[in-house]
């Protein structure tokens, strides 16, 4: 017998009725709770958030819930990858204490359940908010609901979904929730493509060609102080569109805090944001420019 081995078993919890006493017990024992909300189809990007939470907390809770109210496109929702068995294996291997996998009724218990009504101070006006109407209302509603259920000390979000991150930070300060939001760097494939659950829907050729997205963003960063904002946006668009099967939906250059589009003489704290289609699959990415 290997006395050094620790046999660890992760709790797989589907209901609030079971999760909450578990969390209460952890809190009564003064344990620090870290939380990583996801929609599953887990990849290394998600696992990097889990690992950071494991380092900074006593227990880590990961939720897997494909939230219907944040999908503005029924096809996208239907085609969203679902790999629950392998997700559970990955989380257990990492040492996650709890995976919370609620069904829709658990999160939205009655038809009269209200989506959150909150003025997001224009953080939701551009980019994803503009091209995916209703997305952020659905997202912020479910994250607030999950925060109320899990009541973590810290919650981890990826900068890959930068606008989402900013909106969650705002929501937490608006409702004065006692939760620290930790922003985590974007994990990329070796060719630069930002990891995403949706990448599994790309063909091998599209996945290879998708390196164009980060390359175009890096080129913009290199030329940020020599080209105008319009030139930079055009260059990113042209570079991506020149790739077979790829079509830009938007390119924006915006302030990293307010997310308002920036103009030429305000080149501080700027970020570039892009959304594009590779065939049917919608991809997003961003980069800090200055
Ligand atoms: P999702 O399952 O797509 O809702 O993502 C769950 C969390 O993982 C969000 O906070 C995302 O921003 C984060 N995430 C997704 N992809 C990446 C990535 N490539 N690198 C870092 N974090 C990521």
């Amino acid at each position: 017998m290997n006395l050094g081995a620790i046999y660890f078993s992760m709790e797989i919890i589907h209901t609030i009725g079971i999760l909450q006493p578990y969390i209460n017990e952890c809190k009564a024992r003064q344990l620090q709770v870290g939380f990583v909300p996801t929609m599953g189809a887990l990849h290394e990007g998600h696992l990097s958030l889990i690992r950071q939470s494991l380092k900074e907390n006593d227990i880590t809770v990961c939720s897997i819930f494909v939230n219907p109210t944040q999908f503005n496109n029924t096809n996208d929702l239907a085609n969203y990858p679902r790999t629950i068995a392998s997700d559970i294996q990955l989380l257990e291997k990492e040492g996650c204490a709890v995976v919370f996998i609620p069904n829709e009724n658990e999160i939205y218990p009655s038809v009269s359940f209200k989506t959150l009504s909150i003025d997001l101070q224009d953080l939701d006006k551009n980019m994803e908010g503009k091209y995916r109407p209703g997305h952020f209302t659905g997202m912020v509603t479910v994250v607030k609901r999950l925060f109320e259920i899990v009541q973590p000390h810290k919650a981890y979000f990826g900068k890959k979904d930068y606008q989402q991150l900013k909106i969650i930070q705002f929501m937490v300060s608006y409702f004065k929730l006692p939760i620290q939001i930790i922003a985590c760097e974007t994990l990329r494939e070796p060719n630069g493509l930002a990891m995403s659950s949706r990448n599994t829907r790309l063909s091998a050729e599209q996945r290879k060609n998708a390196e164009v997205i980060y390359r175009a963003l890096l080129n913009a960063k290199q030329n940020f102080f020599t080209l105008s904002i319009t030139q930079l946006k055009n260059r990113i668009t042209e570079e991506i569109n020149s790739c077979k099967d790829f079509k830009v939906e938007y390119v924006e250059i915006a302030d990293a805090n307010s997310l308002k589009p920036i103009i030429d003489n305000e080149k501080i704290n700027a970020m570039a944001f892009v959304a594009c289609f590779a065939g049917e699959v919608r991809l997003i990415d961003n980069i800090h420019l200055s």
Side-chain angles (χ1 to χ4, degrees), residues 152-259:
H153 296 93
K154 293 185 179 178
Y156 296 78
F157 291 87
K159 289 189 191 172
K160 154 142 191 309
D161 301 282
Y162 191 84
Q163 195 172 11
Q164 163 175 286
L165 168 69
K166 284 286 151 194
I167 288 174
I168 288 163
Q169 285 173 334
F170 175 78
M171 183 269 284
V172 164
S173 67
Y174 181 89
F175 290 108
K176 299 188 173 55
L177 303 180
I179 300 172
Q180 195 183 340
I181 301 300
I182 311 290
C184 304
E185 293 305 321
T186 301
L187 251 79
R188 299 179 178 281
E189 305 281 356
N191 71 356
L193 170 64
M195 288 181 181
S196 164
S197 305
R198 290 187 168 88
N199 293 354
T200 55
R201 296 182 51 218
L202 298 171
S203 70
E205 191 189 15
Q206 287 167 340
R207 199 164 179 145
K208 182 167 159 286
N209 290 342
E211 53 99 31
V212 71
I213 303 168
Y214 192 49
R215 181 161 35 89
L217 291 175
L218 284 172
N219 283 340
K221 186 178 172 88
Q222 240 177 17
N223 295 303
F224 186 55
F225 290 103
T226 50
L227 297 180
S228 71
I229 298 294
T230 308
Q231 285 171 324
L232 287 163
K233 284 164 69 168
N234 288 343
R235 283 233 187 155
I236 296 172
T237 306
E238 282 158 19
E239 197 166 345
I240 295 175
N241 282 349
S242 70
C243 209
K244 182 175 157 238
D245 269 2
F246 282 69
K247 183 93 190 90
V248 163
E249 186 171 53
Y250 66 78
V251 171
E252 192 55 272
I253 297 187
D255 180 88
N257 286 323
S258 71
L259 301 185

Side-chain angles (χ1 to χ4, degrees), residues 36-71:
V36 182
T38 79
M39 297 202 298
L42 301 183
H43 50 69
E44 279 294 314
H46 296 115
L47 297 182
S48 71
L49 272 54
I50 297 282
R51 286 176 196 136
Q52 191 162 341
S53 172
L54 287 166
K55 260 192 240 151
E56 297 178 358
N57 300 281
D58 301 306
I59 71 149
T60 290
V61 178
C62 175
S63 65
I64 299 178
F65 180 62
V66 182
N67 176 33
T69 67
Q70 71 187 66
F71 284 80

Side-chain angles (χ1 to χ4, degrees), residues 67 69-70 108 115-118 120 124 132-143 167:
N67 176 33
T69 67
Q70 71 187 66
Y108 302 117
T115 52
L116 211 57
S117 168
I118 164 178
L120 293 169
D124 60 338
R132 300 182 68 190
H135 166 66
F136 284 128
T137 312
M139 181 283 290
V140 87
T141 300
V142 82
V143 171
I167 288 174

